Amino acid sequence: MKKPLTYILFFILFSSFGQQSQVEELLSRHNEYMEKSDFDSALSVSKKSLQIAQQLDNELLQAKSFIAIANAHFKKGEITQAESIGQQALSIAKKLKDPTLFMEVYL
């Protein structure tokens, strides 16, 4: 009886880790697109990363995704959207009391 439960728990943990890696990969691609000034593609992949981070209920990854989205909007000249989304990242950073995240929001 213990083995099926162990396998289920292992599957859940492995699946979650795989999705976290996917978010990190998408955020890496976001950075690559930003360096190439391809802000639409950067926005697209960062929105995908946010969706996955929300499914995982991972607030740190959500904040990083919000920061990426805000940066893409800013570079596109969409200042109002950038500010609004940046506030969402700031709210999470305050909740998590993460000083590194605070710095990312303000940079």
Side-chain angles (χ1 to χ4, degrees):
M1 218 40 178
K2 289 183 181 181
K3 284 188 179 184
L5 181 59
T6 302
Y7 292 130
I8 291 170
L9 290 174
F10 177 76
F11 176 76
I12 291 169
L13 286 172
F14 183 74
S15 176
S16 175
F17 177 75
Q19 288 180 313
Q20 287 178 5
S21 304
Q22 188 177 6
V23 171
E24 292 168 3
E25 172 62 28
L26 288 167
L27 291 173
S28 177
R29 287 178 44 204
H30 160 86
N31 291 335
E32 292 171 11
Y33 287 130
M34 291 293 283
E35 289 176 9
K36 296 176 184 176
S37 298
D38 185 353
F39 306 128
D40 289 327
S41 295
L43 190 57
S44 177
V45 296
S46 56
K47 285 181 178 181
K48 287 179 188 174
S49 72
L50 176 61
Q51 289 175 339
I52 297 168
Q54 288 172 329
Q55 289 172 356
L56 292 170
D57 197 29
N58 185 317
E59 290 183 315
L60 179 61
L61 292 177
Q62 287 176 40
K64 289 183 176 194
S65 297
F66 279 129
I67 291 166
I69 293 167
N71 287 336
H73 278 298
F74 182 80
K75 289 292 191 173
K76 290 179 69 171
E78 300 167 347
I79 307 305
T80 303
Q81 293 95 322
E83 288 177 3
S84 174
I85 293 166
Q87 286 298 317
Q88 293 178 62
L90 182 59
S91 176
I92 294 171
K94 287 179 181 177
K95 181 178 177 182
L96 297 178
K97 298 179 182 176
D98 185 326
T100 304
L101 197 53
F102 275 113
M103 292 300 294
E104 289 182 40
V105 170
Y106 286 110
L107 296 177

